[in-house]
C-alpha cells in the first residue's frame, strides 16, 4: 500500500527537570503523545518510532522552568496520503450514495456516489447492502471487504481521506489480486486493437508532444481518448 514511509530523524526532546532521573521514560512519553497525529515537521501522521538516545548529556534551557534538551536519533513510521496514491482499507459501512472505510485502524475514508464508477451497482441481497460489478459477477463490495481506492484529498486535522473508485485498478483487493493479471492482459489487447484501428483511420494530422510522448490527433475527441488511455495505463 502506498502512503507509508520510514523516515530517519535527528530530534531534540525537551524534558522537565523533574524528570531528570527518568530521562528515557520522559522521552518515550513525549514521543508517545505525538502518535496518530499529523505533524508538519514530519509531514505525516506518526504511527510508530524506534529511538536511539545519542547522549545522556543534556543542554539546559534558560527560563522560569529550566527544561533541558536531549538529542536523539529516531526511525519514524509515517502515514502520508497524497492525491493519486492508492490506499487499502476495510469497509465499515455502505449505503446507496457512499462507502465508508477505515484505513490502518484509525483513519476514516469516504467514497461518495460520484466517485464510484458506473460499473458498480448498489443492491440489497438477503438483507445485506452490496455494490456489485455489472462487468464481473464475482467483484463485490460489502461491509467487511478490504478495498483498494485512490486518494483524492486528505484532511490533516481530522485524519479523514476522500477517496475514489473510478480507476479500473481499484475495488475489492481479493478480486483485484486474483484477476489483475487477466485484466492487464485484456487491457493490453484492447489497447493494441484500438491503436491499430486508430492508425487505419488516421492519415496526416497535426502532432502534439505531452510529457515527452508524441500523439497524432485529429479531433478534440481523440485528444480526450488519448488522455484517458494514459490515465488507465498509469
Amino acid at each position: 500500500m502506498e502512503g507509508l514511509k520510514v523516515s530517519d530523524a535527528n530530534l531534540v526532546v525537551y524534558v522537565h527537570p523533574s524528570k531528570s532521573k527518568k530521562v528515557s521514560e520522559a522521552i518515550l512519553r513525549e514521543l508517545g503523545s505525538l502518535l496518530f497525529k499529523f505533524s508538519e515537521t514530519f509531514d505525516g501522521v506518526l504511527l510508530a518510532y524506534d529511538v536511539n538516545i545519542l547522549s545522556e548529556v543534556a543542554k539546559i534551557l534558560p527560563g522560569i522552568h529550566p527544561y533541558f534538551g536531549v538529542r536523539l536519533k529516531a526511525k519514524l513510521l509515517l502515514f502520508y496520503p497524497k492525491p493519486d496514491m492508492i490506499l487499502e482499507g476495510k469497509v465499515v459501512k455502505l449505503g446507496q450514495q457512499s462507502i465508508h472505510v477505515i484505513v490502518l485502524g484509525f483513519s476514516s475514508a469516504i467514497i461518495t456516489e460520484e466517485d464510484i464508477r458506473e460499473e458498480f451497482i448498489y443492491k440489497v441481497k438477503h438483507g445485506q447492502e452490496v455494490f456489485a460489478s455489472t462487468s464481473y459477477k464475482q467483484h463485490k463490495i460489502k461491509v467487511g471487504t478490504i478495498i483498494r481506492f485512490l486518494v483524492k484529498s486528505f484532511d490533516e486535522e481530522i485524519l479523514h481521506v476522500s477517496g475514489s473508485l473510478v480507476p479500473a485498478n481499484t475495488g475489492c483487493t481479493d478480486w483485484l489480486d486474483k484477476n489483475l493479471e487477466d485484466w492487464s492482459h485484456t487491457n493490453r489487447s484492447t489497447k493494441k486493437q484500438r491503436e491499430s484501428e486508430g492508425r487505419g483511420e488516421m492519415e496526416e494530422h497535426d502532432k502534439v508532444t505531452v510529457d515527452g510522448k508524441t500523439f497524432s490527433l485529429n479531433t478534440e475527441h481523440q485528444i480526450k481518448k488519448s488522455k484517458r488511455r494514459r490515465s488507465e495505463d498509469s
Side-chain angles (χ1 to χ4, degrees), residues 36-220:
F36 303 107
K37 297 178 182 177
F38 182 85
S39 169
E40 292 185 357
T41 302
F42 304 144
D43 188 29
V45 180
L46 182 61
L47 301 183
Y49 54 83
D50 185 20
V51 177
N52 178 25
I53 300 176
L54 297 179
S55 174
E56 294 292 338
V57 178
K59 181 180 180 181
I60 299 176
L61 304 177
I64 299 176
H65 299 290
Y67 281 73
F68 56 93
V70 181
R71 293 187 303 111
L72 54 89
K73 274 185 173 293
K75 193 174 290 290
L76 311 176
L77 176 62
L78 301 169
F79 177 56
Y80 71 118
K82 304 291 184 183
D84 297 329
M85 282 185 174
I86 297 293
L87 300 184
E88 294 181 4
K90 183 177 181 179
V91 176
V92 293
K93 179 183 178 182
L94 58 79
Q96 189 169 359
Q97 298 180 332
S98 62
I99 298 175
H100 298 261
V101 182
I102 289 294
V103 180
L104 297 174
F106 76 94
S107 179
S108 63
I110 186 171
I111 303 166
T112 57
E113 183 180 22
E114 62 181 8
D115 294 310
I116 301 174
R117 62 181 181 273
E118 295 181 357
E119 168 191 342
F120 289 106
I121 302 299
Y122 173 81
K123 298 180 180 179
V124 178
K125 300 185 69 174
H126 307 295
Q128 185 178 47
E129 297 173 298
V130 61
F131 275 96
S133 170
T134 55
S135 301
Y136 305 96
K137 185 177 180 181
Q138 301 302 319
H139 196 178
K140 300 177 181 179
I141 297 173
K142 55 187 178 182
V143 172
T145 299
I146 304 299
I147 65 170
R148 193 169 294 150
F149 63 95
L150 184 79
V151 176
K152 290 182 62 182
S153 63
F154 178 57
D155 189 317
E156 299 168 353
E157 184 175 349
I158 61 175
L159 309 183
H160 182 80
V161 180
S162 174
S164 169
L165 285 175
V166 172
N169 63 336
T170 60
C172 172
T173 56
D174 285 345
W175 187 91
L176 290 170
D177 291 342
K178 291 177 182 178
N179 296 275
L180 184 59
E181 184 175 347
D182 293 338
W183 177 86
S184 297
H185 176 74
T186 302
N187 190 52
R188 287 195 298 269
S189 299
T190 302
K191 179 184 176 183
K192 290 180 180 178
Q193 181 180 356
R194 289 177 178 174
E195 289 176 347
S196 177
E197 293 174 352
R199 284 194 296 269
E201 295 174 356
M202 292 181 186
E203 296 179 356
E204 292 184 0
H205 303 285
D206 294 336
K207 293 184 177 181
V208 60
T209 300
V210 180
D211 295 335
K213 297 181 180 180
T214 301
F215 296 86
S216 296
L217 309 174
N218 57 352
T219 64
E220 183 178 351

